[in-house]
């Protein structure tokens, strides 16, 4: 596996976390919409000749998105386990910490450098070294739509 491929696999954890947050916000928006619908004497609204049940539509969207969130969380847990196992296979503690801070915690490079007590440029060099030694023996589990 190339260094670029390793970076992509490791970065999937944070990407998936962001996707879960986005889906959660979308589900919350549908929930807000369902509760903001003004009271009518009828559950349906006629729009352009079509009956639309806004509450039912909102509930269906929330259910669909909730299932996506659950799927993503399952994938996230598996991916985190695989990444942690790969990181633990590195002998150098500083390199392990660097990878954990960056790919598990999602820290910026500046924050990683601060946490491991190295300057920014040296941290970037250590990152390359960490990517060279890490063994990623797993196939990416996340295929975002």
């Amino acid at each position: 596996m190339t260094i670029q491929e390793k970076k992509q696999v490791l970065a999937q954890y944070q990407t998936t976390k962001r996707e879960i947050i986005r889906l959660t916000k979308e589900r919350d928006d549908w929930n807000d919409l369902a509760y903001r619908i003004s009271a009518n004497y009828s559950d349906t609204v006629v729009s352009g000749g079509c009956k639309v049940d806004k509450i039912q539509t909102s509930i269906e969207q929330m259910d669909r998105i909730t299932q996506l969130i659950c799927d993503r969380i399952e994938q996230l847990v598996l991916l985190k386990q695989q990444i942690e196992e790969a990181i633990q296979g590195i002998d150098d503690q500083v390199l392990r910490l660097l990878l954990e801070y960056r790919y598990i915690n999602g820290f910026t490079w500046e924050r990683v450098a601060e946490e491991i007590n190295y300057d920014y440029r040296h941290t970037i060099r250590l990152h390359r070294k960490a990517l060279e030694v890490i063994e990623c023996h797993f196939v990416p589990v996340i295929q975002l739509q």
Side-chain angles (χ1 to χ4, degrees), residues 87 92-104 107 109 112-113 116 118 122-128 130-131:
I87 290 172
D92 187 314
Q93 182 180 8
V94 173
L95 298 181
R96 283 196 313 268
L97 284 173
L98 182 149
L99 292 174
E100 288 172 6
Y101 288 145
R102 179 64 179 180
Y103 295 107
I104 301 296
F107 290 177
W109 284 117
V112 172
I116 64 172
Y118 286 98
H122 189 62
T123 300
I124 299 303
R125 284 191 293 271
L126 287 174
H127 177 243
R128 179 149 182 96
L131 290 174

Side-chain angles (χ1 to χ4, degrees), residues 41-55:
Y41 292 107
S42 170
D43 286 342
T44 59
V45 176
V46 177
S47 174
C50 297
K51 290 185 176 183
V52 179
D53 185 341
K54 291 181 181 180
I55 294 174

Side-chain angles (χ1 to χ4, degrees), residues 71-123:
D71 293 345
R72 295 293 189 272
I73 289 172
E74 286 179 26
Q75 293 170 336
L76 187 70
V77 169
L78 178 59
L79 185 58
K80 184 177 182 188
Q81 289 171 345
Q82 292 175 338
I83 290 171
E84 287 175 337
E85 286 175 16
I87 290 172
Q88 290 308 311
I90 297 174
D91 292 332
D92 187 314
Q93 182 180 8
V94 173
L95 298 181
R96 283 196 313 268
L97 284 173
L98 182 149
L99 292 174
E100 288 172 6
Y101 288 145
R102 179 64 179 180
Y103 295 107
I104 301 296
N105 296 36
F107 290 177
T108 63
W109 284 117
E110 291 80 5
R111 175 96 187 267
V112 172
E114 182 181 316
E115 292 292 330
I116 64 172
N117 204 25
Y118 286 98
D119 71 13
Y120 176 85
R121 287 176 38 168
H122 189 62
T123 300

Side-chain angles (χ1 to χ4, degrees), residues 20-82:
I20 291 168
I21 291 166
R22 187 195 65 75
L23 287 168
T24 301
K25 168 119 177 52
E26 184 179 343
R27 183 188 59 196
D28 292 346
D29 290 347
W30 280 106
N31 187 50
D32 291 346
L33 180 64
Y35 282 101
R36 271 192 260 138
I37 296 172
S38 60
N40 287 334
Y41 292 107
S42 170
D43 286 342
T44 59
V45 176
V46 177
S47 174
C50 297
K51 290 185 176 183
V52 179
D53 185 341
K54 291 181 181 180
I55 294 174
Q56 182 63 33
T57 300
S58 295
I59 290 170
E60 289 170 0
Q61 289 298 323
M62 287 186 300
D63 286 346
R64 181 186 64 78
I65 294 167
T66 298
Q67 185 57 52
L68 283 173
I69 292 168
C70 291
D71 293 345
R72 295 293 189 272
I73 289 172
E74 286 179 26
Q75 293 170 336
L76 187 70
V77 169
L78 178 59
L79 185 58
K80 184 177 182 188
Q81 289 171 345
Q82 292 175 338

